[in-house]
Amino acid sequence: MKKKIFLGLSMAVAVSLAACGGQKSADSGKQGSDAAKAEGAEASDNSVLNVEVGPPSETIDPALNNGREAAMLVNHAFEGLLRYDKDGSTISGQAESYEKSEDGLTYTFHIREGLKWSDGSDLTAKDFLYSWKRVADPATASPYAEELLGMVSGFKEAAAGDLDALGLEAPDDKTFVVHLSYPCSYFEQICAFAVMVPVQEATVEANGDAWTNSAETYVSNGPYFVSAYSQDEKFVLTKNPNYWDKENITFETINWHLVKDSNAAYTAYNQGELDFAKDFPKEELESVQKTADYHIDPLRGTYFMIFNCNKEPFNNPKVRAALSLALDREYIGNSIMQGIYTPATNFIGTGISDAKEGSSFEKVTEEKYGNAFDLKGYDTQLAKAKELLAEAGYPNGEGFPAFSYSTNDVDYHKPVAEYAQDVWNKELGLNCSINILEWATFTADRRSGNFDVARQGWVYDWDDPANILNLLGTTNGNNDGKYSNAEFDSIMEKAKSLSDRTAYYEAMHEAEQLALKDAAIAPIAFYNDTWVQKENLKNVWHLPNGFWYFMYGTKE
């Protein structure tokens, strides 16, 4: 027996997140002129929204991106099979409805009638077939491939190059079928995820990697399309006349400003050039908090450090543990981070559920295993760090090679780096330098292994501890530190097939404890999101996955 799911027909029925976007419309000449007018429009124009959500990203290719800044752009320019509403529930997107088999292994999606790309051409189920296979294709090298498609039957064969083995079908233009090798409780959320949006095969194949380099070739299918594009300055998003739910999209234009410096972003905001700014200088926090424009919301994620496990001496768990234990998390969270972030006691923090309904993974960990980091016992931890460093063969830092800590300079990243450098050098006798990089360069270097120790952070894509633990899997494309432990991999692999919820979460706890014992990472703090927005900006929402949704907003 199959369960048929009908989803909200439009925003008039259920306000939803259009996690998607678009590009060139069929009437491209008119769209171009409208975009030119919008570029010069004032922020006070109620049909135009000016936002800043971060610096330029390494890529805006949905399949290649793993940063939330670019994902937010994708969420406005593209749309997947499903999307999110303002409560974080998945609702209809390009699929009007879908059926899930009783055993949870087959999903059949029914694509809406009359869907169009932003250039006016038809969009069909075959576009999803192409796009999902592209994510799985090893030639694409999508960092999210295993995380998002690992449960699809035939994924291992597809990852080895046999894309036809992947359990996907498009039997006709309106039907897309996915076959799983094991049930996945969050598969609907995968279908609403920014990486899994369709991309236009003709454009991608004709332009190769350059398809994202201009507005003319960045064809999309969501509420907006990119009508003008300056990679280091801004994107102009224009309302997509070919989008199926265009009547409910409010702003005619969103100017998507790319700002590398939080001071510049806040200056532009105060001068009325921006309606919304994600970044503001944290030294201004006390004064900003007193304004009605200030907002803070939970952000489900962990701020941590990674080690290049392919390099000596960071391939030694005692070295990793020494560097981690030497850091005073209570001081970092409550002083350096001004109490905005919460000091980390383990790897998995607030907002993640455990087996029982309404339970907290973090609380269960504390009750069952205790905390890996004692916020009240820093002196003891520092002594242990020195002991471990000596056991690793580097007493008082003797013989330890000079190394660097890599980070980008936004929010608290630089002050945290300076604190870590000071502690490691003065308390452990090491020689650490700081490598400050622009965001796009930093993420590229981190992925390619061009670092010793680096800042990392992860915002959960959905409420499941595996979403962050999977980062430490040997073959995971987001495992920038290249940590590898066969026992950890085995636990995570076995957990995939566990249908018993209690057994599954026990496996997740086991995996986290192993990662902490092995010092695979150095958890620092648990996130919150802060931002400023004008009081007249309404109906914009933020979810715990770290995304803002502007397409249904209004300026009053």
Side-chain angles (χ1 to χ4, degrees), residues 454-490:
R455 182 196 74 77
Q456 177 61 290
W458 190 259
V459 177
Y460 291 81
D461 303 310
W462 37 81
D463 179 6
D464 192 300
N467 188 241
I468 196 168
L469 291 171
N470 282 338
L471 298 180
L472 303 177
T474 299
T475 59
N476 191 283
N478 286 313
N479 182 358
D480 293 341
K482 299 299 182 284
Y483 170 75
S484 181
N485 183 310
E487 183 181 357
F488 180 91
D489 291 343
S490 177

Side-chain angles (χ1 to χ4, degrees), residues 140-167:
T140 304
S142 171
Y144 259 111
E146 182 177 341
E147 176 75 19
L148 301 176
L149 293 172
M151 72 294 297
V152 176
S153 64
F155 173 75
K156 289 183 179 179
E157 293 82 358
D162 182 8
L163 295 181
D164 290 335
L166 198 61

Side-chain angles (χ1 to χ4, degrees), residues 289-307:
Q289 285 176 321
K290 296 175 183 177
T291 70
D293 291 8
Y294 174 75
H295 295 262
I296 182 169
D297 248 7
L299 181 61
R300 205 166 47 203
T302 302
Y303 186 116
F304 58 101
M305 297 177 182
I306 58 173
F307 309 96

Side-chain angles (χ1 to χ4, degrees), residues 415-490:
V416 169
E418 290 170 343
Y419 164 77
Q421 177 192 42
D422 188 64
V423 170
W424 291 337
N425 290 356
K426 291 181 179 177
E427 296 291 346
L428 299 185
L430 306 180
N431 180 9
C432 173
S433 59
I434 299 174
N435 186 23
I436 301 289
L437 300 165
E438 290 188 352
W439 176 238
T441 303
F442 172 58
T443 55
D445 276 7
R446 195 171 59 188
R447 183 177 299 108
S448 64
N450 186 24
F451 71 94
D452 297 321
V453 184
R455 182 196 74 77
Q456 177 61 290
W458 190 259
V459 177
Y460 291 81
D461 303 310
W462 37 81
D463 179 6
D464 192 300
N467 188 241
I468 196 168
L469 291 171
N470 282 338
L471 298 180
L472 303 177
T474 299
T475 59
N476 191 283
N478 286 313
N479 182 358
D480 293 341
K482 299 299 182 284
Y483 170 75
S484 181
N485 183 310
E487 183 181 357
F488 180 91
D489 291 343
S490 177

Side-chain angles (χ1 to χ4, degrees), residues 221-239:
N221 72 316
Y224 292 89
F225 69 92
V226 175
S227 57
Y229 178 5
S230 174
Q231 186 160 357
D232 291 330
E233 294 180 8
K234 72 176 176 181
F235 298 94
V236 177
L237 302 184
T238 298
K239 186 174 176 179

Side-chain angles (χ1 to χ4, degrees), residues 322 325-327 377-387 423 427-428:
L325 289 172
L327 302 173
Y378 173 65
D379 289 342
T380 301
Q381 286 195 170
L382 180 59
K384 181 64 174 178
K386 293 177 179 179
E387 178 185 325
V423 170
E427 296 291 346
L428 299 185

Side-chain angles (χ1 to χ4, degrees), residues 65 68 138 171 227 231 257 270 297 324 332 345 369 374-375 378 397 475:
N65 175 57
R68 67 173 177 145
S227 57
Q231 186 160 357
H257 298 266
N270 285 328
D297 248 7
S324 177
I332 295 174
T345 50
Y369 299 98
D374 183 359
L375 302 183
Y378 173 65
T475 59

Side-chain angles (χ1 to χ4, degrees), residues 22-39 117-120 215-216 222-228 236-243 246 251-254:
Q23 195 269 159
K24 270 250 174 186
S25 72
D27 190 0
S28 59
K30 182 182 178 188
Q31 291 298 318
S33 62
D34 286 349
K37 293 176 185 176
E39 276 195 272
W117 289 102
S118 55
D119 65 0
E216 286 69 26
Y224 292 89
F225 69 92
V226 175
S227 57
V236 177
L237 302 184
T238 298
K239 186 174 176 179
N240 181 6
N242 293 306
Y243 179 55
K246 59 182 178 294
F251 296 113
E252 293 295 324
T253 302
I254 301 178

